[in-house]
Amino acid sequence: MATETHGAELATAEAGMPQLDFATFPNQIFWLLVTLVVIYFVLSKIALPRISTVLAERSGTIMNDISAAEELKLKAKEAEAAYNAALAEAKSEAQRISNETRAAIQADLDTALAKADAQIAAKAAESEKAINEIRDGAMDSVKAVAKDTAKEIVAALGSTADARTITAAVTARMKG
Amino acid sequence: MEGNIAELGKYIGVGLTAIGMGGAAIGVGNVAGNYLSGALRNPSAAASQTATLFIGMAFAEALGIFSFLVALLLMFAV
Amino acid sequence: MATEAHGSESSLAFHPMDQFKPVSLFGDGTIHWYTVTNVTLWMAITVLAIVLLLVVGSRGRAMVPSKGQSIAELMYGFVYKMVEDVAGKDAIRYFPYIMTLFSFIVFANILGLLPLSFTTTSHIAVTGVLALLVFTFVTVLGFVKNGSKFLALFWISSAPLAVRPLLAVIELISYFVRPVSHSIRLAGNMMAGHAVIKVFAGFAAIAAISPVSILAITAMYGLEILVAFIQAYVFTILTCVYLKDALHPAH
């Protein structure tokens, strides 16, 4: 259009803008509208619903997987807790058993000790008694010997003493 | 070399309108540069502002497009 | 109309705009509104690519996605999140419209980068219709959802009363300029990038410069791939912003 009005010398400088050639506008606009309508129907009827369902399904699956993983994690935690509880119980049981055993052993030991002590005490008492008896026996013997000796000594010295005096003297000496 | 004084004026005018596009270039560069300096200060906020960046660029560019339009009109429609 | 004039130039011939010319594929070359042109062809290829990625790619419905399916899901999630974050939760109902816009623009932009292809989104007719569709949709939706309260978008109640009429005029102008900037941004970006590549390609005719030219084309091509994505993203995100304004007009 511009070239036509300005004459031939302009035609060399500018080929004219095809964009401003209004003769081709109806053609372009018509085909553009056809194209847009076709694209719109293809997208809204087929492509977009399909892609959106795929995306929704995928996010659903991912959600499910995540929640399943969460559940499994929870289960694992529970199992760990149960294991820990069992372990603690077993530990306390073992503690208890060992304590009991120790107590039983202690008791046995105590009774055995007591028994042994009693026996020892009995033996000691017996021995003491025997010793005392022996001592008493010895004392009596000593007394008899002393009496006899005293009587003999008195006789040897030439005087007589009656048995009663000698016994009293010896007894007094032995006490003294 | 004979010519038409109207032609001369027209081409000088077209050349002058081209300067307007330089102004738009400065504007767009300013938008992008400021975005970048802001993004480097606070990178975490940068991603949420890219849309604003492009909108700002488009508005800055719009005025350059008017000078382009004037140039085209001078060249081909006047 | 200018083809016969190109021959008289030197060996350096730049026709950066020729790639944008819609031509009739069959018949005598006159273009009626129903003529099958390269516009039709490349829009059909765009539709095919979208079907291939989003329908054929996702046909497995696999729990663990294949490559194609994960790209389709990535694109779905990208746009879905954008709508949700920028326009709000109640804008999710309009997600299919926005997904339609995004997938058309991103595929048209990228397919336009193929050598010898035709970039449908480089035409103001195409982007203008896209922007006007968004504009009318958003405006009608705003009035249907909010009634006259939609006008609160222009009457900024947080500003001082004296400034409000002035702000209302500015807001009104900026509202009606939206489809212009919305459409020309996309068309201008696509057109400019492709034209620059073509100009560099024109320099390749000189043997001494051709390595530099090829290097420059490669660099521009990489930039253009980025631009193809970013412009589709910007178009979509601005649509979301406008949609948010329609659903919640209060500032």
Side-chain angles (χ1 to χ4, degrees):
Chain A
M1 340 140 281
T3 41
E4 282 153 17
T5 50
H6 286 294
E9 80 271 17
L10 250 170
T12 50
E14 59 187 40
M17 268 182 80
Q19 277 90 346
L20 293 179
D21 184 3
F22 291 103
T24 62
F25 273 29
N27 178 272
Q28 295 194 44
I29 292 168
F30 169 67
W31 289 114
L32 172 67
L33 293 179
V34 170
T35 308
L36 286 183
V37 168
V38 170
I39 294 174
Y40 176 71
F41 278 104
V42 166
L43 287 187
S44 64
K45 296 283 176 254
I46 308 171
L48 298 184
R50 186 187 288 175
I51 294 174
S52 82
T53 49
V54 167
L55 288 179
E57 263 172 35
R58 179 170 315 141
S59 73
T61 311
I62 289 170
M63 278 291 174
N64 282 346
D65 285 0
I66 285 174
S67 64
E70 203 73 31
E71 219 165 82
L72 287 178
K73 204 173 158 191
L74 218 66
K75 267 189 191 158
K77 267 212 178 117
E78 265 169 26
E80 203 189 342
Y83 164 78
N84 278 341
L87 197 65
E89 203 174 300
K91 257 186 193 160
S92 68
E93 182 73 17
Q95 191 82 30
R96 195 180 59 76
I97 289 171
S98 82
N99 279 346
E100 260 173 23
T101 315
R102 195 177 294 141
I105 289 169
Q106 193 70 44
D108 280 357
L109 204 61
D110 284 351
T111 50
L113 275 176
K115 212 170 162 189
D117 277 352
Q119 275 174 359
I120 289 165
K123 273 256 173 77
E126 218 168 84
S127 307
E128 202 145 323
K129 213 165 95 191
I131 289 167
N132 281 346
E133 265 167 25
I134 291 166
R135 191 187 283 151
D136 288 351
M139 212 50 109
D140 286 349
S141 303
V142 167
K143 214 182 252 181
V145 168
K147 252 186 252 173
D148 285 350
T149 314
K151 202 192 252 172
E152 286 301 314
I153 289 168
V154 168
L157 286 174
S159 65
T160 51
D162 64 321
R164 192 178 281 171
T165 326
I166 288 167
T167 305
V170 168
T171 313
R173 272 298 180 149
M174 296 257 303
K175 271 180 186 158
Chain B
M1 189 170 175
E2 79 271 20
N4 177 335
I5 192 92
E7 286 301 304
L8 177 73
K10 200 163 104 175
Y11 286 125
I12 289 174
V14 170
L16 287 176
T17 51
I19 297 171
M21 292 180 230
I26 293 171
V28 172
N30 204 4
V31 171
N34 281 329
Y35 170 78
L36 188 62
S37 70
L40 288 176
R41 275 170 215 270
N42 187 3
S44 59
S48 62
Q49 296 306 319
T50 37
T52 324
L53 166 73
F54 280 105
I55 293 168
M57 273 185 166
F59 282 132
E61 199 187 33
L63 299 166
I65 286 165
F66 293 143
S67 80
F68 178 68
L69 184 67
V70 170
L72 286 182
L73 288 175
L74 275 180
M75 280 266 272
F76 300 110
V78 176
Chain C
M1 47 191 167
T3 33
E4 74 273 17
H6 289 318
S8 61
E9 296 273 322
S10 62
S11 64
L12 270 185
F14 298 114
H15 316 135
M17 292 315 209
D18 283 4
Q19 57 177 328
F20 301 123
K21 206 177 277 173
V23 290
S24 168
L25 292 181
F26 314 103
D28 57 350
T30 51
I31 296 171
H32 303 287
W33 61 269
Y34 52 84
T35 316
V36 176
T37 54
N38 50 0
V39 179
T40 319
L41 174 68
W42 284 97
M43 281 185 182
I45 293 175
T46 307
V47 173
L48 205 69
I50 291 170
V51 168
L52 215 62
L53 178 63
L54 292 180
V55 177
V56 179
S58 68
R59 77 191 180 286
R61 299 165 191 252
M63 202 48 71
V64 178
S66 59
K67 275 179 201 158
Q69 194 185 331
S70 56
I71 293 173
E73 282 170 10
L74 207 67
M75 192 163 148
Y76 179 97
F78 178 69
V79 180
Y80 193 91
K81 199 172 171 299
M82 199 196 308
V83 175
E84 198 177 26
D85 286 355
V86 177
K89 282 231 186 294
D90 44 353
I92 291 295
R93 329 178 21 197
Y94 311 108
F95 168 64
Y97 302 99
I98 292 171
M99 186 72 183
T100 305
L101 281 178
F102 178 76
S103 50
F104 172 73
I105 294 170
V106 80
F107 274 98
N109 285 355
I110 290 167
L111 287 171
L113 282 172
L114 294 176
L116 298 177
S117 72
F118 176 81
T119 319
T120 48
T121 42
S122 67
H123 276 262
I124 301 206
V126 171
T127 59
V129 168
L130 290 174
L132 277 176
L133 281 178
V134 170
F135 180 75
T136 41
F137 175 70
V138 160
T139 310
V140 169
L141 186 75
F143 277 112
V144 167
K145 284 260 167 189
N146 305 292
S148 59
K149 263 189 279 177
F150 183 59
L151 294 173
L153 188 63
F154 309 111
W155 195 253
I156 299 156
S157 50
S158 57
L161 192 64
V163 196
R164 279 184 213 173
L166 186 68
L167 281 179
V169 172
I170 293 174
E171 287 285 323
L172 207 64
I173 292 172
S174 85
Y175 188 79
F176 282 101
V177 156
R178 275 176 179 184
V180 177
S181 67
H182 207 183
S183 59
I184 294 185
R185 177 180 299 114
L186 179 56
N189 268 294
M190 298 322 293
M191 181 177 65
H194 287 243
V196 166
I197 288 180
K198 258 304 200 262
V199 168
F200 280 134
F203 278 117
I206 303 171
I209 308 178
S210 58
V212 182
S213 162
I214 288 167
L215 215 68
I217 290 173
T218 314
M220 274 309 288
Y221 200 89
L223 183 70
E224 280 305 299
I225 291 172
L226 187 73
V227 166
F229 272 112
I230 288 188
Q231 288 309 316
Y233 176 63
V234 164
F235 193 97
T236 319
I237 209 164
L238 283 177
T239 307
C240 291
V241 170
Y242 299 160
L243 195 61
K244 191 195 76 185
D245 279 350
L247 294 173
H248 313 284
H251 271 268

Coordinates of all heavy atoms in Angstrom, one line a residue, chain A residues 26-28 30-31, chain C residues 23-41:
Chain A
P26 N -7.9 -11.3 6.5 CA -9.0 -12.3 6.7 C -8.5 -13.7 6.6 O -9.0 -14.5 7.5 CB -9.9 -11.9 5.5 CG -9.5 -10.6 5.1 CD -8.1 -10.4 5.3
N27 N -7.6 -14.0 5.7 CA -7.1 -15.4 5.6 C -6.5 -15.8 6.9 O -6.8 -16.9 7.5 CB -6.1 -15.4 4.4 CG -5.5 -16.8 4.3 OD1 -4.5 -17.1 4.9 ND2 -6.2 -17.6 3.5
Q28 N -5.6 -15.0 7.4 CA -4.8 -15.3 8.7 C -5.8 -15.5 9.8 O -5.7 -16.4 10.6 CB -3.8 -14.3 9.0 CG -2.7 -14.2 7.9 CD -1.6 -13.4 8.4 OE1 -1.2 -13.5 9.6 NE2 -1.0 -12.5 7.6
F30 N -9.0 -16.1 9.8 CA -9.8 -17.3 9.7 C -9.1 -18.5 10.1 O -9.6 -19.3 11.0 CB -10.3 -17.4 8.2 CG -10.9 -18.7 7.9 CD1 -12.2 -19.0 8.5 CD2 -10.3 -19.6 7.1 CE1 -12.8 -20.2 8.3 CE2 -10.9 -20.8 6.9 CZ -12.2 -21.1 7.4
W31 N -7.9 -18.7 9.6 CA -7.2 -19.9 10.0 C -6.7 -19.9 11.4 O -6.6 -21.0 12.0 CB -6.0 -20.1 9.0 CG -6.4 -20.5 7.6 CD1 -6.3 -19.8 6.5 CD2 -7.1 -21.7 7.3 NE1 -6.8 -20.4 5.4 CE2 -7.3 -21.6 5.9 CE3 -7.6 -22.8 8.0 CZ2 -8.0 -22.6 5.2 CZ3 -8.2 -23.8 7.3 CH2 -8.4 -23.7 5.9
Chain C
V23 N 1.8 -16.8 1.3 CA 1.6 -17.1 -0.1 C 0.6 -18.3 -0.2 O 0.5 -19.1 0.7 CB 2.9 -17.5 -0.8 CG1 3.8 -16.3 -1.0 CG2 3.6 -18.6 -0.1
S24 N -0.2 -18.2 -1.3 CA -1.1 -19.3 -1.5 C -0.4 -20.6 -1.9 O 0.5 -20.5 -2.8 CB -2.1 -18.8 -2.6 OG -2.9 -19.9 -3.0
L25 N -0.7 -21.7 -1.3 CA 0.0 -22.9 -1.7 C -0.5 -23.5 -3.0 O 0.2 -24.1 -3.7 CB -0.2 -23.9 -0.6 CG 0.5 -23.6 0.8 CD1 0.2 -24.7 1.8 CD2 2.0 -23.4 0.5
F26 N -1.8 -23.4 -3.2 CA -2.4 -23.9 -4.5 C -3.0 -22.8 -5.2 O -3.3 -21.7 -4.6 CB -3.4 -25.0 -4.2 CG -3.0 -26.0 -3.2 CD1 -3.5 -25.9 -1.9 CD2 -2.1 -27.0 -3.5 CE1 -3.0 -26.8 -0.9 CE2 -1.7 -27.9 -2.5 CZ -2.1 -27.8 -1.2
G27 N -3.3 -23.0 -6.5 CA -4.1 -22.0 -7.2 C -3.2 -20.8 -7.7 O -2.0 -20.9 -7.7
D28 N -3.9 -19.7 -8.1 CA -3.2 -18.6 -8.8 C -2.5 -17.6 -7.9 O -1.9 -16.7 -8.5 CB -4.2 -18.0 -9.7 CG -5.4 -17.4 -9.0 OD1 -5.5 -17.8 -7.8 OD2 -6.3 -16.7 -9.5
G29 N -2.6 -17.7 -6.6 CA -1.9 -16.7 -5.8 C -2.8 -15.7 -5.2 O -2.3 -15.0 -4.3
T30 N -4.0 -15.5 -5.6 CA -4.8 -14.5 -4.9 C -5.3 -15.2 -3.6 O -5.6 -16.4 -3.5 CB -6.1 -14.2 -5.7 OG1 -6.7 -15.4 -6.1 CG2 -5.7 -13.4 -6.9
I31 N -5.3 -14.3 -2.5 CA -5.6 -14.9 -1.2 C -6.9 -14.4 -0.8 O -7.1 -13.2 -0.5 CB -4.5 -14.4 -0.2 CG1 -3.1 -15.0 -0.6 CG2 -4.8 -14.8 1.2 CD1 -2.0 -14.5 0.1
H32 N -7.9 -15.3 -0.7 CA -9.2 -15.1 -0.1 C -9.1 -15.5 1.3 O -8.1 -16.1 1.7 CB -10.3 -15.8 -0.9 CG -10.3 -15.4 -2.4 ND1 -10.7 -14.2 -2.8 CD2 -9.9 -16.2 -3.4 CE1 -10.6 -14.2 -4.1 NE2 -10.1 -15.4 -4.5
W33 N -10.2 -15.3 2.0 CA -10.2 -15.6 3.4 C -10.1 -17.2 3.7 O -9.6 -17.6 4.7 CB -11.4 -15.1 4.2 CG -12.7 -15.5 3.7 CD1 -13.5 -15.0 2.8 CD2 -13.4 -16.7 4.2 NE1 -14.6 -15.7 2.6 CE2 -14.6 -16.7 3.5 CE3 -13.2 -17.6 5.2 CZ2 -15.6 -17.7 3.7 CZ3 -14.1 -18.6 5.3 CH2 -15.3 -18.7 4.6
Y34 N -10.5 -17.9 2.6 CA -10.6 -19.4 2.8 C -9.4 -20.1 2.1 O -9.3 -21.3 2.2 CB -11.9 -20.0 2.2 CG -12.1 -19.5 0.8 CD1 -11.6 -20.2 -0.2 CD2 -12.9 -18.4 0.6 CE1 -11.8 -19.7 -1.5 CE2 -13.2 -17.9 -0.7 CZ -12.6 -18.6 -1.8 OH -12.8 -18.2 -3.0
T35 N -8.5 -19.3 1.4 CA -7.4 -19.9 0.7 C -6.5 -20.7 1.6 O -6.2 -20.2 2.7 CB -6.6 -18.8 -0.1 OG1 -7.5 -17.9 -0.6 CG2 -5.8 -19.4 -1.1
V36 N -6.0 -21.8 1.1 CA -5.0 -22.6 1.9 C -3.7 -22.0 1.6 O -3.1 -22.0 0.5 CB -5.0 -24.1 1.5 CG1 -3.9 -24.8 2.2 CG2 -6.4 -24.7 1.8
T37 N -3.1 -21.3 2.6 CA -1.8 -20.6 2.4 C -0.8 -21.3 3.3 O -1.0 -22.3 4.0 CB -1.9 -19.1 2.8 OG1 -2.5 -19.1 4.1 CG2 -2.8 -18.4 1.9
N38 N 0.4 -20.7 3.3 CA 1.5 -21.2 4.2 C 1.1 -20.9 5.7 O 1.5 -21.6 6.6 CB 2.9 -20.7 3.9 CG 2.9 -19.2 3.7 OD1 1.8 -18.6 3.8 ND2 4.0 -18.7 3.4
V39 N 0.2 -19.9 5.9 CA -0.3 -19.7 7.2 C -1.1 -20.9 7.7 O -0.8 -21.5 8.8 CB -1.2 -18.5 7.2 CG1 -1.8 -18.2 8.6 CG2 -0.5 -17.2 6.7
T40 N -1.9 -21.4 6.8 CA -2.7 -22.6 7.1 C -1.8 -23.8 7.4 O -2.0 -24.5 8.4 CB -3.6 -23.0 5.9 OG1 -4.1 -21.8 5.4 CG2 -4.7 -24.0 6.3
L41 N -0.8 -24.0 6.5 CA 0.1 -25.1 6.6 C 0.8 -25.1 8.0 O 0.8 -26.1 8.7 CB 1.2 -25.0 5.5 CG 2.3 -26.1 5.6 CD1 1.7 -27.5 5.4 CD2 3.4 -25.8 4.7

